[in-house]
Amino acid sequence: KSADGQHKVELHGRLHFDVRSFEGDARKLDSKRSNDSPTRSDLLTNLLVRRARLGIDATFFKYLDFKAEGDFGEQGSSFALTDGYVELNYWPEFRVRGGQFKVPFSFEELTSSRFIDFVERSVVNNLVPARDVGGMVHGSLLGGTLDYSAGIFNGTGQNNLEKNDSKDYAGRLLVRPFKLIGIPLLQNLHLAGHMTYGDQDKGESLRGRTDARFEFFPRVPTHGDRVRYGFEVVHAYGPVGLYGEYVKTKEERDGLGTGGSNLADVDGRGWYVAGTWLLTGEEKVHGKAPKVKHNFDPRTGGLGA
């Protein structure tokens, strides 16, 4: 960075390596697991580079941020852009961002894969938007007790071209009701709600898929309004973290039936509750790595984290 701190460039990367193993019976398509059941050839014990990301974060003239990151991992040998945006951060209360980035929706999705508590995000993650191309304003008010985000996006997802003139509108509101009150037990509690709305001329619905890639509900054609909303409760105190989310979606299928009739909406609903306990006593901070109390050192009895 420059001597006056006005300009800064940081290079970063991460590598996540997965091992997946399936028992022979898991490959059977028939629920009875009979000997003559057809098998799924894709459920093979395999090794893969789940994420191989390289990126750059930069700040110019103190108030103009830039981020570009790409993935060489699960997508195959080709490069796939994950994040690419610029942001004006002159006012903490009103920041403006444009490019490709995560839609402001869902605590679990907005938490980086570097800092999620488990190997995979929950199955509820099937229902939420991820990255998209658009613009957003966001900021923090009242001493950090209130965060807001509002944006407009293509609605077609990461690295996909726009398919119609309609857009997705997204909003998120987060409240830390006890942040400025001297009650340590409750200071890290936050509540948040989020919603997206868009009119999709042609699209494909959500799908149900487990983390092991078992698909229990395939994508189907959609046409019409798509509404997604949810809320979350997140808390941490000392080494303990506890959080949960509820998400509901509705996607219309207007004019897709026989003779142009309307089909029933595709509805999705899911929730999860999760908790963690840092056994070595570090303070739990959601979305960040814990600050280690005692580095791992057998000579001094340090357990690490």
Side-chain angles (χ1 to χ4, degrees):
K1 64 179 180 180
S2 61
D4 60 4
Q6 295 283 315
H7 314 284
K8 180 175 63 176
V9 176
E10 296 180 352
L11 302 177
H12 61 85
R14 84 186 75 153
L15 178 67
H16 291 172
F17 182 71
D18 277 13
V19 179
R20 293 180 180 168
S21 178
F22 300 93
E23 295 181 357
D25 285 348
R27 301 189 183 101
K28 300 291 180 64
L29 294 179
D30 186 76
S31 60
K32 297 179 181 179
R33 299 291 191 260
S34 60
N35 292 331
D36 59 349
S37 297
T39 60
R40 283 185 55 175
S41 60
D42 59 317
L43 297 184
L44 300 175
T45 297
N46 62 76
L47 315 176
L48 75 154
V49 177
R50 176 64 183 276
R51 300 178 183 92
R53 295 186 182 174
L54 294 174
I56 179 173
D57 291 332
T59 299
F60 303 108
F61 306 103
K62 191 177 179 178
Y63 300 115
L64 184 63
D65 293 337
F66 169 83
K67 180 171 183 175
E69 181 187 77
D71 197 331
F72 298 86
E74 195 179 25
Q75 303 288 339
S77 59
S78 61
F79 171 85
L81 180 70
T82 53
D83 291 293
Y85 62 82
V86 294
E87 177 169 303
L88 178 64
N89 67 357
Y90 187 83
W91 305 278
E93 301 83 5
F94 187 82
R95 302 184 178 191
V96 182
R97 179 183 297 185
Q100 178 169 281
F101 51 91
K102 287 187 176 182
V103 177
F105 193 105
S106 172
F107 166 76
E108 189 179 44
E109 177 60 35
L110 292 174
T111 301
S112 168
S113 59
R114 291 187 295 163
F115 303 125
I116 55 178
D117 290 320
F118 302 96
V119 176
E120 303 279 358
R121 293 181 174 91
S122 71
V123 179
V124 176
N125 196 244
N126 283 304
L127 304 179
V128 309
R131 291 176 172 87
D132 206 342
V133 177
M136 177 178 75
V137 296
H138 66 113
S140 183
L141 306 171
L142 305 176
T145 60
L146 180 67
D147 292 352
Y148 74 92
S149 303
I152 179 172
F153 300 87
N154 279 340
T156 53
Q158 178 179 334
N159 296 327
N160 289 325
L161 297 176
E162 176 61 291
K163 300 176 181 178
N164 55 58
D165 291 333
S166 299
K167 303 298 178 185
D168 270 14
Y169 302 91
R172 174 175 167 86
L173 190 65
L174 183 151
V175 181
R176 302 179 183 90
F178 303 102
K179 181 176 177 60
L180 302 181
I181 301 176
I183 306 177
L185 178 62
L186 299 174
Q187 281 187 333
N188 292 326
L189 174 69
H190 90 231
L191 313 172
H194 28 255
M195 181 177 182
T196 72
Y197 167 79
D199 180 9
Q200 298 296 312
D201 288 347
K202 290 183 179 180
E204 289 187 326
S205 72
L206 58 89
R207 67 175 170 184
R209 191 175 72 171
T210 68
D211 296 331
R213 304 301 188 264
F214 286 95
E215 188 176 82
F216 56 88
F217 184 80
R219 298 188 188 277
V220 297
T222 59
H223 184 277
D225 291 347
R226 177 175 64 190
V227 179
R228 297 173 286 207
Y229 63 87
F231 62 86
E232 69 196 38
V233 180
V234 179
H235 189 41
Y237 180 70
V240 179
L242 183 65
Y243 53 100
E245 290 190 69
Y246 174 86
V247 176
K248 181 77 168 61
T249 67
K250 185 184 77 169
E251 299 175 272
E252 293 183 342
R253 296 193 290 168
D254 293 348
L256 297 180
T258 303
S261 60
N262 296 338
L263 298 177
D265 297 341
V266 178
D267 292 331
R269 182 176 65 251
W271 60 270
Y272 73 86
V273 175
T276 59
W277 189 308
L278 297 178
L279 298 179
T280 45
E282 282 75 18
E283 181 181 1
K284 174 64 176 179
V285 181
H286 291 292
K288 294 182 179 180
K291 185 177 180 180
V292 180
K293 281 188 173 182
H294 305 287
N295 290 330
F296 178 73
D297 189 345
R299 297 170 299 178
T300 61
L303 296 177

